[in-house]
Amino acid sequence: MPTEEAGYYETLVARNDLDTPWFKRKIRERVAAVSGLLKTGQERVLEVGCAEGELGREIKTHFAVTYDGVELSQDSALARHKLDQVFQTPASQIEAAPYQLIVSFHVLEHIARPEQELAAWASLLSADGCVLIEVPNQAGHPLLDSDRNAEHLHQFTPASLNLLLARCGFTCDELSVGHYESPVYSDSLRLTARLQPTAEHREQLLLQRFREITGGPFLVYGIGGDYLNYLAPLADSLDIRALLDSSEAKWGQRLGQHVVSSYDPQAHAELPIVICSIRFAMDIRQHLLNLGIAAQRLIGLDSIYEDS
């Protein structure tokens, strides 16, 4: 198989015909897709498989981005006139500052070991960066059962592409089908994904949300399953001053540094109260209001965990 021979892609030239209507159509659609992912318009972008650099050239006419490319074929010579920098080497051999966006259109299906390629992209991506990947949807055309292109080593489905990215440490933001590459590849998958945060990073983000919303020391009311699942694992890192509950059966129980008690207006006045229940939140809220506690002191667990 020629694609498995060393240097195969380095011998190729003129992979695209820029004057065909289908090339112009796909570039138009890809410009729109990439543009929608640029937040400031000044990001560093890397296109893996940039060919002659036409997509990057179009993007650079609209945005003040740094746009680099990876291209093994002879088309890299053309791309160098259009892009900021072109690497004629695999992504795994690149040393560069992090990129906020890495894009790759119809490349991953050519690569024998896509897991290794995605690991290289992850190493080049900023912590808050995004990847945009497009590959044929199975055969790439709804009337074809199998993709017989000798250069294509893999066929992807929405499920298999999503699972591949997950195995490689990415979280899918969006996946869609029906994207156009050419008349014979009129149905392509397009996926955007980000690096999965580490467990430590997720915990720090959650602690930050608690601190921002509570504003400092706080009380916890409602010591049940939701407390044990969603707050107790963080308790040692939060400034919790007391655990409170209306059930006498829970009074006196020690959980970590605190003993569960009833609400004491003198001891617990002024501090905000996190209502640590999703199911019974409304009932607990009304109970606390009936005790004369001001509504502005009450914070629902949902307000911390829900997307802001």
Side-chain angles (χ1 to χ4, degrees):
M1 189 174 200
T3 59
E4 294 177 342
E5 297 175 3
Y8 169 76
Y9 284 103
E10 287 83 344
T11 66
L12 302 180
V13 65
R15 300 276 278 169
N16 288 313
D17 184 345
L18 278 59
D19 294 323
T20 60
W22 45 87
F23 179 82
K24 294 177 181 178
R25 174 180 172 180
K26 75 176 181 182
I27 288 295
R28 203 165 49 241
E29 294 182 2
R30 291 175 185 181
V31 167
V34 174
S35 298
L37 295 172
L38 297 175
K39 297 178 180 178
T40 68
Q42 298 180 328
E43 288 90 342
R44 285 173 49 81
V45 181
L46 178 67
E47 182 182 356
V48 180
C50 66
E52 71 296 311
E54 191 63 14
L55 174 59
R57 185 193 67 78
E58 287 284 342
I59 293 294
K60 285 176 67 65
T61 63
H62 296 91
F63 301 95
V65 297
T66 296
Y67 200 108
D68 295 344
V70 175
E71 181 56 44
L72 302 183
S73 78
Q74 296 300 307
D75 290 341
S76 60
L78 294 174
R80 287 191 178 93
H81 295 291
K82 304 173 185 179
L83 309 184
D84 293 285
Q85 185 174 196
V86 177
F87 303 97
Q88 198 174 7
T89 181
S92 59
Q93 298 177 20
I94 295 173
E95 293 184 5
Y99 293 92
Q100 286 73 49
L101 177 61
I102 296 178
V103 301
S104 176
F105 293 91
H106 290 258
V107 170
L108 208 57
E109 68 271 20
H110 294 256
I111 296 174
R113 298 176 180 83
E115 293 88 352
Q116 293 183 9
E117 184 69 15
L118 288 167
W121 298 0
S123 70
L124 292 168
L125 192 65
S126 66
D128 59 346
C130 175
V131 296
L132 168 61
I133 298 169
E134 185 176 296
V135 295
N137 183 10
Q138 300 186 85
H141 193 286
L143 299 182
L144 296 177
D145 180 60
S146 180
D147 184 359
R148 299 186 182 277
N149 187 333
E151 292 184 1
H152 291 182
L153 307 180
H154 311 279
Q155 286 192 188
F156 294 101
T157 66
S160 69
L161 183 61
N162 198 358
L163 286 171
L164 171 65
L165 269 290
R167 288 199 306 272
C168 295
F170 289 88
T171 298
C172 177
D173 283 346
E174 185 176 352
L175 191 154
S176 53
V177 300
H179 299 285
Y180 185 89
E181 202 275 338
S182 71
V184 291
Y185 290 104
S186 58
D187 181 18
S188 298
L189 300 170
R190 186 176 292 171
L191 176 147
T192 56
R194 302 179 186 278
L195 290 172
Q196 295 177 6
T198 64
E200 294 77 10
H201 182 56
R202 294 182 189 183
E203 181 172 303
Q204 289 304 313
L205 291 175
L206 187 53
L207 288 171
Q208 181 179 338
R209 294 187 73 166
F210 268 98
R211 291 163 183 154
E212 288 174 350
I213 293 174
T214 61
F218 63 95
L219 312 170
V220 177
Y221 203 104
I223 312 304
D226 285 345
Y227 173 78
L228 296 175
N229 288 334
Y230 308 118
L231 210 157
L234 306 171
D236 289 344
S237 300
L238 293 171
D239 195 356
I240 299 172
R241 296 300 173 88
L243 302 181
L244 310 173
D245 201 280
S246 59
S247 171
E248 294 185 19
K250 296 180 180 180
W251 297 347
Q253 292 183 16
R254 175 170 288 279
L255 296 174
Q257 303 176 30
H258 301 284
V259 175
V260 181
S261 65
S262 62
Y263 178 74
D264 183 340
Q266 293 184 332
H268 303 139
E270 307 306 325
L271 287 178
I273 301 173
V274 172
I275 299 173
C276 200
S277 175
I278 299 297
R279 180 179 179 184
F280 301 109
M282 296 300 295
D283 292 338
I284 293 175
R285 179 181 178 84
Q286 188 58 54
H287 171 71
L288 296 177
L289 291 173
N290 292 341
L291 293 178
I293 299 171
Q296 59 266 30
R297 291 178 57 195
L298 305 181
I299 300 169
L301 190 65
D302 58 325
S303 67
I304 297 171
Y305 272 89
E306 276 188 336
D307 292 337
S308 56

